[in-house]
């Protein structure tokens, strides 16, 4: 009898230990904030609603957008341009943030720049098909909420300094072709960052970049020119 009681006690302890494990993991997952929803939470809460007639534009992306406001903060001094870039993010993270950092801010248009970190394998490689799935989902959400969609052809990159084993140039060309075709099919505005920055290797022109991936101030100035044209097109602004 004692033997049976002992075995039952062991089984009960084991079950309790096993049952607690998923709960502990679940808490860790929530605390990690994988999509970094907390980064702009306070800024979003402090942001007033758009004024009457204001055409707010949200820039959604990763380090290219986040570093932009550091390199040329004057470009974002106008409260109508809202930078929501987070360094290192891949396309599914942008999708998770889309309601909080785009829809809830009531913009007239959203600029979506996605794909490079997926290709770089920052958090596990994602195929161009997978990237497009996330871009399509974000575009459909924007359209549902009457937000004009501006899709970016990604900046040229010959290699990533932190992962030279990856050859991104042709993958970015393929991704850009997919983005352009999808934008044309759906009458979305195309914002071409690739063409004005590209060199003969299908990387970024040396004089326009700090590391072959991120633009310097001169590079951002060129991006500002093509961005303004795309915003004018999307919002039907008269030149």
């Amino acid at each position: 009898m004692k033997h049976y009681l002992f075995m039952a006690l062991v089984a009960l302890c084991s079950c309790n230990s096993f049952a607690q494990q998923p709960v502990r993991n679940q808490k860790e997952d929530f605390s990690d904030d994988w999509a970094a929803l907390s980064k702009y939470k306070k800024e979003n809460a402090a942001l007033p609603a758009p004024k009457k007639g204001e055409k707010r534009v949200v820039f959604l992306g990763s380090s290219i957008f986040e570093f932009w406001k550091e390199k040329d903060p004057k470009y974002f001094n106008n409260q109508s341009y809202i930078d929501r870039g987070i360094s290192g993010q891949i396309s599914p993270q942008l999708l998770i943030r889309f309601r909080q950092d785009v829809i809830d801010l009531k913009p007239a248009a959203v600029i979506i720049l996605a794909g490079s970190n997926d290709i770089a394998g920052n958090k596990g490689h994602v195929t161009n098909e997978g990237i497009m799935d996330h871009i399509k989902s974000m575009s459909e959400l924007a359209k549902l909420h009457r937000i004009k969609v501006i899709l970016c052809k990604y900046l040229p990159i010959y290699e990533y300094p932190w992962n030279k084993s990856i050859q991104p140039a042709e993958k970015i060309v393929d991704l850009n072709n997919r983005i352009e075709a999808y934008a044309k099919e759906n009458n979305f505005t195309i914002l071409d960052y690739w063409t004005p920055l590209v060199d003969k290797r299908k990387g970024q022109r040396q004089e326009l970049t700090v590391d072959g991936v991120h633009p310097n101030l001169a590079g951002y100035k060129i991006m500002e020119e093509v961005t303004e044209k795309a915003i004018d097109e999307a919002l039907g602004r008269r030149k």
Side-chain angles (χ1 to χ4, degrees):
M1 185 68 175
K2 289 180 181 179
H3 174 74
Y4 291 127
L5 283 171
F6 175 76
M7 292 299 291
L9 246 130
V10 169
L12 182 61
C13 289
S14 299
C15 287
N16 286 343
S17 175
F18 181 77
Q20 289 170 3
Q21 189 65 30
V23 175
R24 189 160 58 248
N25 286 342
Q26 191 178 43
K27 286 180 180 177
E28 288 172 357
D29 287 342
F30 285 136
S31 64
D32 283 343
D33 188 14
W34 183 70
L37 292 168
S38 59
K39 182 174 178 67
Y40 292 112
K41 191 173 182 180
K42 289 183 180 179
E43 288 184 45
N44 290 345
L47 192 67
K51 297 175 183 177
K52 187 176 180 180
E54 179 185 350
K55 301 292 185 180
R56 178 174 288 174
V57 181
V58 174
F59 292 61
L60 183 73
S62 54
S63 58
I64 301 295
F65 280 174
E66 183 173 12
F67 297 165
W68 191 345
K69 61 187 174 186
E70 296 172 8
K71 283 280 192 286
D72 194 9
K74 290 181 180 178
Y75 188 65
F76 293 94
N77 279 350
N78 182 343
Q79 204 173 46
S80 292
Y81 286 2
I82 310 298
D83 188 312
R84 289 296 178 263
I86 298 182
S87 181
Q89 287 211 326
I90 57 177
S91 56
Q93 292 173 305
L94 303 183
L95 176 57
I96 290 172
R97 291 199 290 122
F98 201 81
R99 178 168 295 279
Q100 173 185 290
D101 290 343
V102 179
I103 296 171
D104 290 350
L105 305 186
K106 308 296 183 184
V110 60
I111 300 174
I112 300 172
L113 179 65
S116 176
N117 288 319
D118 306 64
I119 292 171
N122 286 7
K123 293 178 172 64
H125 180 68
V126 179
T127 64
N128 281 356
E129 289 84 356
I131 296 168
M132 285 307 303
D133 285 344
H134 300 130
I135 289 174
K136 289 175 182 179
S137 293
M138 288 186 277
S139 300
E140 289 167 4
L141 281 169
K143 189 175 180 180
L144 181 66
H145 290 270
R146 298 180 180 179
I147 300 169
K148 297 291 185 181
V149 178
I150 302 173
L151 296 182
C152 301
K153 292 177 67 173
Y154 214 94
L155 290 69
I157 299 171
Y158 179 74
E159 67 179 10
Y160 297 104
W162 59 89
N163 192 348
K164 294 186 178 181
S165 64
I166 293 174
Q167 297 178 329
E170 291 299 335
K171 293 177 183 177
I172 290 174
V173 169
D174 175 68
L175 176 62
N176 285 344
N177 289 338
R178 293 169 186 260
I179 290 171
E180 186 170 25
Y182 175 70
K184 287 180 178 178
E185 288 171 7
N186 293 273
N187 295 315
F188 297 145
T189 301
I190 301 166
L191 174 44
D192 184 1
Y193 288 141
W194 193 87
T195 301
L197 301 178
V198 71
D199 66 10
K200 293 179 180 179
R201 301 190 306 169
K202 298 180 182 177
Q204 277 176 60
R205 288 160 52 191
Q206 188 175 0
E207 71 273 19
L208 300 177
T209 182
V210 295
D211 58 2
V213 176
H214 303 94
N216 57 22
L217 182 58
Y220 279 122
K221 287 297 184 182
I222 291 174
M223 288 175 63
E224 287 168 15
E225 290 179 16
V226 294
T227 298
E228 287 304 306
K229 291 177 182 177
I231 292 173
D232 287 346
E233 180 186 336
L235 299 181
R237 290 178 179 170
R238 294 181 180 180
K239 297 182 180 180

